[in-house]
């Protein structure tokens, strides 16, 4: 049987239109979770996703190996994805421990750690040998500030130094305080001396003797004699301790004795030291007393109903006064 060839001509048609690309796989960390609800992940990095494209999370966290399928095509802000499964199988069993490796090189020294808690106090050690006496340090008293409370070198309450105050105190001790040798047992006319209590007692005894003698020469029935302790009438604001302070009344004559009276905190100038009720002087009477600093101080006894004893020109600071004077009463 004979074979016959037929020429059919060109049966290849024209090229068709390009079809849609197939599904693509993307890798990254922009799509996460296990939600099967279509969700937009604008940070996926996929600029033109098509349906059935896939995205695998390649991170190191819980989403590692998870696969997501595109259900709505579009740009990253439009495309939607759903969780489709995972490429990771279950965790395998732990392998056997390998051999211990060789010791590595020593690393650099680390930073010093924080100080630890203080340990318990140890036992007391033996007493050491006494060290040599060091050289004397410089005199720093002139560098130490102090308040001049008594006004020794300036105004009371002003600022000074310890050295200046020491110097002032030394001067008062050496030159201004009443020395024991200046207290004598006789009443003498010497501004640098002070009568002792024994001398004052002797004067008082002599006054008592004179009073007795006078009593023999006057009509005692007309002479009222009395004695009052005037310590109770001191001005407590400036008068401290007192001794042998009294008023003796002989008719209209009053003899006032101030054995000793310590004046404290008095203001400079005139100060009333006693106010004796009911013994008013007939006239304002000038009086004089001595001070423990060796000075003599004048004053007055005055008053309409009472006798006020005022001492003038007093200094500030502690001062003992003593003396005796006579006043004619009303």
């Amino acid at each position: 049987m004979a074979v016959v060839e037929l020429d059919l001509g060109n049966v290849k048609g024209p090229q068709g239109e390009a079809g849609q690309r197939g599904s693509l796989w993307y890798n990254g960390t922009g799509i996460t979770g296990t939600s099967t609800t279509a969700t937009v992940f604008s940070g996926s990095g996929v600029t033109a996703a098509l349906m059935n494209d896939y995205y695998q999370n390649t991170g190191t966290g819980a989403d590692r190996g998870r696969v997501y399928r595109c259900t709505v095509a579009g740009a990253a802000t439009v495309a939607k994805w759903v969780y489709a499964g995972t490429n990771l199988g279950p965790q395998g069993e732990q392998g056997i421990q390998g051999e211990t490796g060789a010791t590595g090189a020593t690393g650099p020294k680390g930073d010093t750690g924080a100080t630890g808690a203080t340990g318990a106090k140890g036992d007391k050690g033996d007493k050491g040998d006494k060290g040599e006496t060091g050289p004397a340090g410089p005199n720093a008293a002139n560098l130490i500030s102090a308040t001049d409370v008594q006004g020794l070198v300036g105004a009371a309450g002003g600022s000074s130094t310890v050295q200046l105050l020491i110097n002032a105190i030394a001067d008062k001790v050496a030159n201004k305080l009443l020395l024991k040798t200046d207290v004598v047992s006789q009443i003498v006319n010497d501004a640098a001396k002070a009568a002792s209590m024994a001398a004052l007692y002797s004067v008082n005894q002599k006054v008592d003797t004179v009073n007795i003698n006078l009593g023999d020469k006057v009509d005692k029935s007309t002479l009222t004699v009395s004695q009052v302790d005037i310590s109770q009438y001191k001005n407590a604001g400036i008068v401290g301790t007192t001794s042998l302070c009294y008023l003796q009344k002989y008719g209209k004559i009053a003899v006032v004795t101030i054995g000793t009276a310590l004046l404290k905190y008095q203001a400079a100038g005139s100060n009333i030291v006693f106010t004796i009720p009911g013994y008013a002087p007939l006239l304002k009477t000038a009086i004089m007393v001595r001070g423990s600093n060796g000075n003599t101080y004048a004053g007055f006894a005055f008053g309409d109903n009472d006798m006020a004893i005022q001492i003038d020109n007093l200094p500030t600071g502690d001062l003992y006064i003593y003396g005796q004077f006579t006043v004619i009463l009303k």
Side-chain angles (χ1 to χ4, degrees), residues 18-26 46-54 70 73-74 81:
Q20 181 175 292
R21 68 167 174 78
S23 297
L24 294 179
W25 278 78
Y26 299 95
V46 179
T47 58
L50 294 179
M51 290 181 61
N52 294 320
D53 280 351
Y54 287 87
C70 179
W81 303 81

Side-chain angles (χ1 to χ4, degrees), residues 5-10:
E5 292 184 1
L6 296 176
D7 185 3
L8 299 178
N10 189 0

Side-chain angles (χ1 to χ4, degrees), residues 6-298:
L6 296 176
D7 185 3
L8 299 178
N10 189 0
V11 294
K12 183 179 180 180
Q15 181 175 351
E17 295 179 358
Q20 181 175 292
R21 68 167 174 78
S23 297
L24 294 179
W25 278 78
Y26 299 95
N27 295 311
T29 58
I31 301 178
T32 60
T34 57
S35 175
T36 56
T37 300
T39 305
V40 173
F41 292 91
S42 58
S44 66
V46 179
T47 58
L50 294 179
M51 290 181 61
N52 294 320
D53 280 351
Y54 287 87
Y55 188 101
Q56 178 178 249
N57 190 301
T58 56
T60 57
D63 291 315
R64 179 174 177 268
R66 289 175 178 171
V67 177
Y68 305 89
R69 181 172 57 84
C70 179
T71 59
V72 176
T77 57
V78 177
K80 293 185 178 182
W81 303 81
V82 295
Y83 174 68
T86 180
N87 286 335
L88 296 180
Q91 182 174 349
E93 295 180 0
Q94 182 176 347
I96 61 174
Q97 182 175 347
E99 296 180 359
T100 302
T103 302
T106 301
K109 183 178 180 180
D111 296 335
T112 301
T115 301
T118 302
K121 184 176 180 180
D123 296 335
K124 183 177 180 180
D126 296 334
K127 182 177 180 180
D129 297 335
K130 181 178 180 180
E132 297 181 1
T133 302
N139 179 14
N142 63 322
L143 303 178
I144 302 175
S145 298
T147 301
D148 187 359
V149 177
Q150 297 294 334
L152 297 176
V153 296
S159 297
S160 184
T161 66
V162 170
Q163 187 63 59
L164 289 177
L165 293 179
I166 291 174
N167 294 344
I169 293 171
D171 176 65
K172 286 186 178 294
V173 171
N175 303 313
K176 297 179 180 179
L177 292 182
L178 188 63
L179 299 178
K180 183 176 181 180
T181 55
D182 292 331
V183 179
V184 296
S185 59
Q186 298 86 24
I187 302 297
V188 295
N189 186 18
D190 186 347
K193 303 298 181 181
S196 67
M197 293 304 297
L200 292 175
Y201 179 78
S202 176
V203 170
N204 183 61
Q205 292 296 98
K206 290 179 180 180
V207 171
D208 289 342
T209 301
V210 171
N211 292 338
I212 293 172
N213 293 336
L214 288 174
D216 294 336
K217 294 177 173 56
V218 298
D219 184 0
K220 295 183 179 180
S221 63
T222 63
L223 182 62
T224 302
V225 180
S226 61
Q227 179 171 305
V228 178
D229 180 5
I230 65 172
S231 297
Q232 59 186 313
Y233 303 123
K234 67 183 180 182
N235 180 353
I238 63 172
V239 180
T241 57
T242 60
S243 177
L244 292 176
C245 295
Y246 52 82
L247 178 149
Q248 293 173 310
K249 180 176 179 294
Y250 306 92
K252 294 295 185 180
I253 298 175
V255 178
V256 179
T257 300
I258 300 176
T260 56
L262 173 60
L263 306 186
K264 300 172 65 69
Y265 314 117
Q266 75 275 11
S270 299
N271 291 267
I272 294 177
V273 294
F274 292 93
T275 301
I276 309 170
Y279 293 88
L282 179 64
L283 299 172
K284 186 175 184 180
T285 305
I287 63 174
M288 295 187 71
V289 296
R290 291 290 298 275
S292 56
N293 57 5
N295 296 331
T296 301
Y297 297 96

